[in-house]
Amino acid sequence: MARHFNGNNVRPYSLILTLVFAFLLFDATSNAQKIVKVEEICNQTKIVAYCSNLLNSIPGGAARADVDSLAHYTIEVLRSKLKNTVNLLNSLIAKATDPKAKELYNFCLKEFTGQDGALAEIDPMQKSLKAKDYNDVSFHLNDLVADNDECMSYGQDQSSTSSHHFTTDFKDPSPLPQFTDDIFKVLQIITAISNYWFKIY
């Protein structure tokens, strides 16, 4: 004989378990939608091997890491590279004898450590990402790109087609161009990841 459902006979804990299960099922489905293959992300960049090595180095592996986890990790890599660049700049400034070199290093240091500099963008960027405020994350990302680009292009020959070519009367012999290029690469990866925030959410 079929049993008729009587809401009054449902025990509270059974209803709670049902709701919890439904939430977990929804959450698992939601998380599954956030997972994107590293290859798919990196193929959007021009630094596929570099991108793949970086994202696959996330603790626990990238296979089960969702888009936000990859973004959080990559932003922390960016923070580390910015700090290393700041340390380099402080060292270069202390040793520089060429006025043009010292001018460049001081300019870049300001771009990275100023009140509105690159390092100041990291914490609010992570906070916005945690809150899933992707528009605000993109805003901070744009500022970071601009700060690094200002340093990379300072003193450039504007007629040159090269993105890293300084004027002929000064070519920076320090490791700074390599450091800023590494920052630029990480920013490319975050930009590629950001494409999925608006597709998925």
Side-chain angles (χ1 to χ4, degrees):
M1 179 183 293
R3 295 180 181 271
H4 294 285
F5 179 80
N6 185 340
N8 293 327
N9 293 331
V10 178
R11 295 187 179 185
Y13 67 83
S14 297
L15 181 58
I16 291 171
L17 287 175
T18 302
L19 292 173
V20 168
F21 177 75
F23 172 79
L24 291 174
L25 183 62
F26 171 80
D27 189 58
T29 304
S30 176
N31 282 334
Q33 291 175 339
K34 301 177 189 176
I35 295 174
V36 180
K37 291 182 178 179
V38 165
E39 293 77 10
E40 186 177 336
I41 294 170
C42 294
N43 283 338
Q44 297 182 57
T45 73
K46 295 182 180 180
I47 48 168
V48 177
Y50 183 98
C51 173
S52 180
N53 287 336
L54 189 150
L55 293 183
N56 281 309
S57 68
I58 186 172
R64 296 184 180 180
D66 61 36
V67 169
D68 283 9
S69 296
L70 291 174
H72 278 295
Y73 175 70
T74 309
I75 293 169
E76 287 306 312
V77 171
L78 177 62
R79 186 200 299 271
S80 177
K81 289 190 177 294
L82 286 168
K83 286 182 175 180
N84 289 339
T85 304
V86 167
N87 290 337
L88 172 68
L89 285 166
N90 282 320
S91 175
L92 291 172
I93 290 167
K95 298 175 182 177
T97 55
D98 186 327
K100 290 186 178 180
K102 199 158 190 172
E103 183 182 353
L104 165 65
Y105 303 148
N106 277 303
F107 176 83
C108 287
L109 185 64
K110 184 178 178 181
E111 289 298 310
F112 292 137
T113 63
Q115 185 175 356
D116 298 320
L119 274 172
E121 302 288 345
I122 298 294
D123 283 340
M125 189 179 188
Q126 288 283 42
K127 184 177 180 180
S128 295
L129 180 56
K130 188 175 182 179
K132 301 190 185 302
D133 185 349
Y134 301 110
N135 285 316
D136 198 51
V137 178
S138 296
F139 175 81
H140 292 296
L141 177 58
N142 288 337
D143 282 350
L144 279 158
V145 171
D147 290 334
N148 192 57
D149 188 61
E150 286 292 324
C151 174
M152 293 173 75
S153 62
Y154 187 78
Q156 279 185 6
D157 179 356
Q158 297 300 319
S159 64
S160 172
T161 56
S162 170
S163 62
H164 299 84
H165 180 68
F166 285 88
T167 52
T168 53
D169 60 339
F170 176 71
K171 292 184 179 180
D172 186 10
S174 78
L176 179 61
Q178 182 60 54
F179 276 54
T180 54
D181 190 62
D182 282 344
I183 292 171
F184 180 63
K185 288 175 181 175
V186 178
L187 288 168
Q188 286 185 63
I189 297 169
I190 299 172
T191 300
I193 293 171
S194 74
N195 293 331
Y196 293 91
W197 293 329
F198 302 102
K199 290 180 182 178
I200 295 172
Y201 303 98

